Amino acid sequence: MAALEELRAACGDARPAGEGDAIAGVPARFVAAPGFPDEAAAVVRAAAVHDLSTVVRGAATKLDWGSPPERLDLVLDTRRLTGVVEHAAGDLIVVVRAGTPLADLSTKLAAAGQQLALDAPLPGATVGGTVAVNTSGPRRMAYGTVRDLLIGVTIVRPDGVLARAGGKVVKNVAGYDLGKLVTGSYGTLGLITECAFRLHPVPEAGAVLRRPVDGPAGLRTLVSAVLGAQVVPAALELDAPAGGGLELAMLLTGVPEGVRRRVATARALLGGELAASDAEPDWWSAYPWGAGDVGLKLTAALSRVPDLVAAALAARDRHGVPVAVRGSVGTGVLYAGMPGATDPAAVAAVVTDLRLVAREAGGHAVVLTAPAAVRDGLDLWGAVPGLALMRSVKSQFDPGRRFAPGRFVGGL
């Protein structure tokens, strides 16, 4: 057929889709895997000519996030868009293609004593997918999020035009801030092909302190003490498994002598002779749900994080649902998980409770992933400020609604 032939002419790696190429249960017609940005642009131009709705796929670690696409013709696979384009070690800058796994990039940078300080809660995640869904982990407390570390981006617009913004310097004010716009857009504004990031040196030393916590009230006391002291943790994480109990873990990094002094200060704050370990706990930088489960992202003002934890524990008891909570009490970003087999009505009740408290606490509760039976009866996103503006941006970038139609908030 004409569309497939044009896709093959554009990149040479295009084929009819198979059963494994469905996105959130929606079958595709074609799969194309360009190897270079110019090829990617040619693929998108061919898709535009034939009005092919397109969803980008990297390592497929987060394809179950968001809503199913309204329609799907083409899966644009980034598995060949890989590799470091440039590593300016002296400037602490890297330019990398979107299909590159974060783990591979980490290995490359470690050889130079540098790091892209983004955690990968889902093993195998790619650079492009991490930017598109704006994922981060424990170290966001010290280094910031994707939006803070991304200084330049190249995308293929839905009309097939390559667009670049930002650059290879940390302070760059030229042009439209396209990087911040596409970060967290769930692939609805185009295909990310390359990203430029600012890097950080790998710390010389690190230590992790762990302590059980006596409920949300105890959590408030401990977190306030840590944040008010000269400890400066790189991460401050909480784990509240569905089976009960709370544990606080603190990561301290820096030069060896500085870490030793701060460990002593932290021990005094946390109480007791707590052992310092070089290794993070098993639950560190991992979501509190598995494949096929229900997963939520919860945010709140920093001072209200204990209230959000208390709400999750109360919802667990009130609705008889094993809710697990994990995340950063140092930045106000938590995650909650429930088994995928949970009754959809019970999930909806828990989500309603958490949204009420999150909203009062200055944050949000978003359902990232859920089985179809649960997802179909839920508003995944809840109330989102600025939706009219987001619709306007989508219409400017993608007036034909070809890129990931319906995947994002408000059916964008």
Side-chain angles (χ1 to χ4, degrees):
M1 65 184 61
L4 182 56
E5 290 307 312
E6 289 194 35
L7 292 172
R8 284 174 171 160
C11 74
D13 191 343
R15 58 175 174 80
E19 291 184 6
D21 297 314
I23 304 294
V26 179
R29 295 169 57 198
F30 313 113
V31 177
F36 301 95
D38 288 344
E39 285 187 352
V43 167
V44 174
R45 285 195 296 273
V49 167
H50 293 277
D51 192 29
L52 303 181
S53 55
T54 302
V55 171
V56 179
R57 178 179 68 191
T61 58
K62 296 176 284 292
L63 281 182
D64 57 340
W65 289 27
S67 302
E70 294 172 358
R71 58 191 180 103
L72 178 59
D73 297 307
L74 173 65
V75 172
L76 212 166
D77 196 313
T78 65
R79 61 186 169 82
R80 296 177 58 227
L81 278 170
T82 60
V84 173
V85 177
E86 180 180 355
H87 178 202
D91 296 325
L92 289 169
I93 299 296
V94 69
V95 181
V96 60
R97 292 202 175 106
T100 307
L102 281 174
D104 291 357
L105 178 60
S106 177
T107 300
K108 169 78 174 179
L109 297 175
Q114 296 178 356
Q115 60 173 334
L116 173 59
L118 291 174
D119 301 289
L122 295 171
T126 63
V127 167
T130 298
V131 173
V133 186
N134 192 27
T135 51
S136 59
R139 292 181 298 166
R140 66 180 290 160
M141 184 174 181
Y143 299 104
T145 65
V146 174
R147 283 191 175 93
D148 301 305
L149 299 174
L150 184 70
I151 61 172
V153 68
T154 300
I155 74 164
V156 180
R157 297 184 338 204
D159 60 1
V161 174
L162 272 170
R164 294 179 174 85
K168 293 181 292 183
V169 293
V170 173
K171 292 184 178 179
N172 189 310
V173 297
Y176 188 60
D177 200 344
L178 187 61
K180 285 185 170 57
L181 193 61
V182 299
T183 300
S185 65
Y186 276 63
T188 57
L189 300 179
L191 165 67
I192 299 168
T193 61
E194 292 180 359
C195 298
F197 294 101
R198 64 187 179 104
L199 306 174
H200 291 84
V202 175
E204 294 180 33
V208 177
L209 293 174
R210 301 167 63 180
R211 185 194 192 282
V213 180
D214 185 18
L219 177 66
R220 187 185 303 277
T221 299
L222 289 174
V223 171
S224 296
V226 169
L227 296 181
Q230 298 300 313
V231 178
V232 194
L236 191 59
E237 295 287 297
L238 173 74
D239 182 42
L246 281 76
E247 182 179 51
L248 188 68
M250 180 193 309
L251 172 65
L252 302 174
T253 61
V255 299
E257 180 56 31
V259 169
R260 282 193 291 270
R261 288 198 301 267
R262 287 153 58 214
V263 163
T265 301
R267 280 175 173 156
L269 290 171
L270 297 177
E273 288 296 323
L274 301 177
S277 171
D278 293 335
E280 296 93 356
D282 293 340
W283 52 263
W284 188 268
S285 189
Y287 295 124
W289 64 79
D293 288 343
V294 181
L296 290 82
K297 181 178 181 179
L298 311 172
T299 59
L302 200 54
S303 63
R304 300 294 301 276
V305 170
D307 298 332
L308 201 52
V309 174
L313 301 184
R316 175 197 296 173
D317 296 337
R318 181 180 302 115
H319 304 292
V321 176
V323 181
V325 179
R326 186 175 296 157
S328 175
V329 294
T331 63
V333 180
L334 302 175
Y335 298 91
M338 291 173 272
T342 305
D343 178 68
V347 173
V350 171
V351 172
T352 298
D353 289 357
L354 293 179
R355 278 198 174 135
L356 177 62
V357 175
R359 186 166 59 248
E360 292 175 346
H364 304 279
V366 173
V367 181
L368 297 177
T369 181
V374 174
R375 185 181 60 221
D376 292 346
L378 278 177
D379 175 2
L380 300 184
W381 307 95
V384 177
L387 187 55
L389 178 59
M390 295 167 70
R391 292 188 192 281
S392 177
V393 171
K394 171 68 171 176
S395 67
Q396 291 292 319
F397 275 77
D398 187 18
R401 289 180 52 79
R402 287 191 301 270
F403 260 71
R407 292 278 280 163
F408 197 26
V409 56
L412 292 178

